[in-house]
Structure formats: structure tokens, C-alpha cells
Amino acid sequence: DRTLLFLRNIEEIEITDRVRGSTKRISKTKVSDTGDYEIYEFETLKDDKNKETSSWLVFRSTSEIPPRIKEDQFTKRWERDELDSREVMVGFRLEEDGKLTKEEGTAHMGVFSFLPLKEVPSGLNFLVQADFLTAPGRETIHRGAPWNEWLAEEVYRLLVNDVVPVFKNDNRWKYYFTSILY
């Protein structure tokens, strides 16, 4: 389900293993959009019988790209210098009762650049999505790239300015968010 979480235009994916004769269908439905955050429900159906569900809370923020980042040679090489803004997102897994729960990015997939980056354990209890510049095989992000450092700063701003205030004011989350964020 996490693979679909940050993809805007894909609501369902079906994976067929012809060797084993099995099928897995994952569907995503937006169930809430408050303007501050969105809640998505996922249904995973294995071989048309085993059904699993999960819910995710997503915060997003769009930031204007600063001139110092646009002027960086590495950013220009990746053709990001012509862009005006980029979006960063964070995703928090919800329990059935709507409370926050840790999601540590099992299999080292806690950082996304639209799709999971396999070798980037974030050390966080939630998921991070941004347009990170990656190595050619998409297994890791380019450490030290000014573009990626700026995006990490924007994720931090999203957490401090948007996520924490919402968590502090919501009865479902105000007693649990510190165990997720710290």
C-alpha cells in the first residue's frame, strides 16, 4: 500500500505472478481532506480472498525553490533549475481506531522519491516523500546535493509548521504524536 500512497494519479494496481498463479490488487481511496491533511484507506486483496486494510494520514506542502538552489550546478545538471516549486509530503500510519502508529519503513523503504528508495532507511517512524535526486539505480539519494538538503529542510518545516500543530489540537493524536516524531 505504501507504494501507492504518494502517487496522485494511480488509485489501483494489480500484480500478477504467473509462475505461482497468484494475484494481488491494491486500491487507494481518499476518505478525508480537511485542507490541513488527507486520510487514505487502502485495501489489499490477495488471490480475490485474503483482504487487508490500512489507513494513512498525509500532510503535504509546496515550497518555492530558492535562487541559491536553482543556481547550483548539480541542480542544473538534473534539470531542476527551471522549476518554480516542489512538494514535500509525510505519511503517518493510522490504527483502526484512528490513532497514530509507528511505521518504520520496513525493508528500508522509509524515504520516497515518488516510489520507495530501497536503500534509504530514514530512522523515522513515518514516511517521507520528496523529489529527491537519486543515484542512477534509484537505490539511494545523492547525499550532500544542495537540492536534497533543501528538500530535507522543507520536510522539517512541514513537520514543525503544519504537522505538530494539527497533532497537538486533535484528541486522537495529541497524546501519541511524540512517540512517532521523537
Side-chain angles (χ1 to χ4, degrees), residues 66 86 88:
R86 282 330 259 167
V88 296

PDB file of all heavy atoms in Angstrom, residues 66 86 88:
ATOM      1  N   PRO A  66      14.374  28.209  -3.815  1.00  0.00           N
ATOM      2  CA  PRO A  66      15.186  29.419  -3.652  1.00  0.00           C
ATOM      3  C   PRO A  66      16.210  29.576  -4.779  1.00  0.00           C
ATOM      4  O   PRO A  66      16.697  28.578  -5.329  1.00  0.00           O
ATOM      5  CB  PRO A  66      15.894  29.216  -2.318  1.00  0.00           C
ATOM      6  CG  PRO A  66      15.482  27.908  -1.787  1.00  0.00           C
ATOM      7  CD  PRO A  66      14.600  27.234  -2.767  1.00  0.00           C
ATOM      8  N   ARG A  86       8.310  22.845  -5.520  1.00  0.00           N
ATOM      9  CA  ARG A  86       8.259  21.387  -5.341  1.00  0.00           C
ATOM     10  C   ARG A  86       7.432  21.095  -4.110  1.00  0.00           C
ATOM     11  O   ARG A  86       7.333  21.893  -3.182  1.00  0.00           O
ATOM     12  CB  ARG A  86       9.648  20.784  -5.136  1.00  0.00           C
ATOM     13  CG  ARG A  86      10.492  20.600  -6.357  1.00  0.00           C
ATOM     14  CD  ARG A  86       9.783  20.340  -7.619  1.00  0.00           C
ATOM     15  NE  ARG A  86       9.744  18.971  -8.072  1.00  0.00           N
ATOM     16  CZ  ARG A  86       8.927  18.582  -9.045  1.00  0.00           C
ATOM     17  NH1 ARG A  86       8.089  19.412  -9.589  1.00  0.00           N
ATOM     18  NH2 ARG A  86       8.940  17.357  -9.450  1.00  0.00           N
ATOM     19  N   VAL A  88       6.615  18.530  -0.846  1.00  0.00           N
ATOM     20  CA  VAL A  88       7.110  17.503   0.068  1.00  0.00           C
ATOM     21  C   VAL A  88       5.910  16.967   0.840  1.00  0.00           C
ATOM     22  O   VAL A  88       4.923  17.680   1.051  1.00  0.00           O
ATOM     23  CB  VAL A  88       8.191  18.034   1.040  1.00  0.00           C
ATOM     24  CG1 VAL A  88       9.431  18.463   0.288  1.00  0.00           C
ATOM     25  CG2 VAL A  88       7.668  19.161   1.905  1.00  0.00           C
TER      26      VAL A  88
END
